[in-house]
Amino acid sequence: MSDSATLSTRAQPLGKYPPFKRVGDFIYLSGISARMPDGSIAGTTRHADGSVTRDVEVQTRVVIENVRATLAEAGADLADCVDILVFLTDMQDFPKYNAVYGEYFEAGGPARTTVAVSALPRPDMVVEMKAVAWRPRP
């Protein structure tokens, strides 16, 4: 298994960086969003009147599933996460994001920090995650 890889089923990085980097038994994931392979952002609905709805619950699920897929490339799983850093564009979304997060992780799971940021790389992104996992090399 290489130190980093890309899948055609996942959105490609927006710059020159790997989706993950393995250092010994640790796996460091780059920031992961709900961006889809076609560039759209899951959980985003554009309405006829020009308004836009961004669903933090949908985006959180897609982000965590993208984290899971990236970890799988590295030979790991969500259970191997030891630290997660989450970026939200609006702390009013925290309760909904936190409820979805709790569907994937138990209280004894990874350490976690959640911070508010003024923006993410694409205007429709409302949540992004960065993770560190520990999985011994085979």
Side-chain angles (χ1 to χ4, degrees), residues 32-97:
I32 295 180
S33 70
R35 197 165 51 85
M36 306 303 286
D38 67 0
S40 66
I41 308 299
T44 301
T45 305
R46 299 201 180 292
H47 304 282
D49 66 1
S51 65
V52 179
T53 303
R54 296 171 186 94
D55 188 325
V56 70
E57 292 168 304
V58 169
Q59 286 198 27
T60 301
R61 279 189 185 87
V62 171
V63 168
I64 294 172
E65 290 300 332
N66 287 342
V67 167
R68 183 194 309 268
T70 303
L71 287 169
E73 284 183 63
D77 193 58
L78 291 176
D80 299 315
C81 287
V82 294
D83 188 39
I84 295 181
L85 175 57
V86 181
F87 306 93
L88 293 177
T89 58
D90 187 346
M91 273 300 172
Q92 297 297 320
D93 288 335
F94 184 87
K96 290 179 179 179
Y97 137 78

Side-chain angles (χ1 to χ4, degrees), residues 1-6 10 13 16-32 67 69-76 80 82 130-135 137:
M1 177 87 36
S2 68
D3 282 349
S4 65
T6 57
R10 183 186 58 230
K16 292 184 177 184
Y17 57 87
F20 69 89
K21 184 78 169 184
R22 183 182 267 279
V23 179
D25 293 336
F26 286 94
I27 303 160
Y28 296 85
L29 273 60
S30 296
I32 295 180
V67 167
T70 303
L71 287 169
E73 284 183 63
D80 299 315
V82 294
K130 183 170 175 42
V132 177
W134 184 84
R135 178 71 173 234
R137 286 186 182 260

